[in-house]
Amino acid sequence: MEQKRRVLLDAALAAFLNEGYAGSSVNRIAAAAGVSIKTLYRHFDSKEDLFVAVVHDACDTPSATAAQWTEMPPREGLALCGAEHLEQVLSASQMDLYRVLASESHRFPELGARYQRDVLGQRYEAVARYIESWRNRPPYTVHDTSRAARTFASLLYSGIFENVLMGAPPPPRSTLLAHADDTAVAFLALLAQGHL
């Protein structure tokens, strides 16, 4: 069953990238994967569900330090978390899927809503849980950890995400680490002033 799911995800990724969301057909995806349409629907409830699963799969990049940042002090933890997040988000497969989503979500608003809830929402929740662990430790005061996590992500993307989205190559890891550290410093200054 897991092998069939893997083949379906690979076939769906190729279809979505080559044909877009609207142009892709679950029948053609099933055929490309060498399975029946019935098998596809055993694994995924709908085309939308399949697309979200493909995005999740592209985002599920194991990291050797994935759990380490949750045990670190705020600046170090946020910097490492931010650098890892940028490495994942700026990967070729994720950027290509994001472009598909951005170009078609106006016609399929439920797809954009699922991406916001199921993909970005999980990322923000992980950062919010981390912030929660030290939110009232001096000098920080956090009124809304969810809002704080989204603010951190916005600062993190600034000046990098847009460039890569428009075709620039992703910066090297050293640049991402430096940018994430600068972001952590700026973010913690906001928290120290009680703005979030």
Side-chain angles (χ1 to χ4, degrees):
M1 288 293 280
E2 188 54 40
Q3 185 178 9
K4 285 185 179 176
R5 181 181 172 84
R6 173 78 266 147
V7 172
L8 280 164
L9 287 171
D10 291 343
L13 174 61
F16 291 135
L17 293 182
N18 292 328
E19 303 167 21
Y21 181 77
S24 299
S25 155
V26 288
N27 288 314
R28 289 196 305 273
I29 291 170
V35 301
S36 69
I37 191 70
K38 188 175 177 181
T39 298
L40 184 147
Y41 281 118
R42 270 195 218 114
H43 290 273
F44 307 100
D45 293 335
S46 63
K47 182 177 170 182
E48 177 187 315
D49 190 44
L50 176 58
F51 184 84
V52 172
V54 166
V55 174
H56 270 296
D57 187 61
C59 296
D60 190 20
T61 307
S63 168
T65 57
Q68 291 179 9
W69 59 266
T70 61
E71 304 300 323
M72 293 178 167
R75 178 176 174 177
E76 292 82 358
L78 288 168
L80 183 57
C81 162
E84 288 184 353
H85 178 73
L86 285 173
E87 281 186 309
Q88 288 183 348
V89 167
L90 300 178
S91 70
S93 60
Q94 284 198 46
M95 291 304 290
D96 287 344
L97 283 168
Y98 182 82
R99 289 182 186 104
V100 170
L101 180 69
S103 69
E104 302 205 38
S105 59
H106 69 285
R107 295 189 324 185
F108 303 96
E110 67 283 356
L111 196 61
R114 285 278 308 269
Y115 177 78
Q116 291 282 338
R117 185 187 73 228
D118 297 347
V119 178
L120 293 182
Q122 287 185 4
R123 291 176 179 165
Y124 297 150
E125 283 173 23
V127 176
R129 284 193 302 272
Y130 174 58
I131 294 170
E132 181 69 37
S133 69
W134 47 263
R135 70 183 284 184
N136 293 317
R137 185 186 310 166
Y140 309 119
T141 302
V142 183
H143 304 291
D144 183 338
T145 55
S146 178
R147 179 174 172 231
R150 291 172 187 277
T151 300
F152 176 70
S154 295
L155 292 170
L156 189 64
Y157 286 6
S158 179
I160 289 186
F161 182 82
E162 303 90 352
N163 291 344
V164 177
L165 183 64
M166 297 302 168
R173 180 170 174 78
S174 58
T175 301
L176 296 181
L177 281 166
H179 176 77
D181 184 59
D182 289 345
T183 299
V185 170
F187 176 71
L188 292 172
L190 287 174
L191 295 190
Q193 294 171 27
H195 291 309
L196 298 171

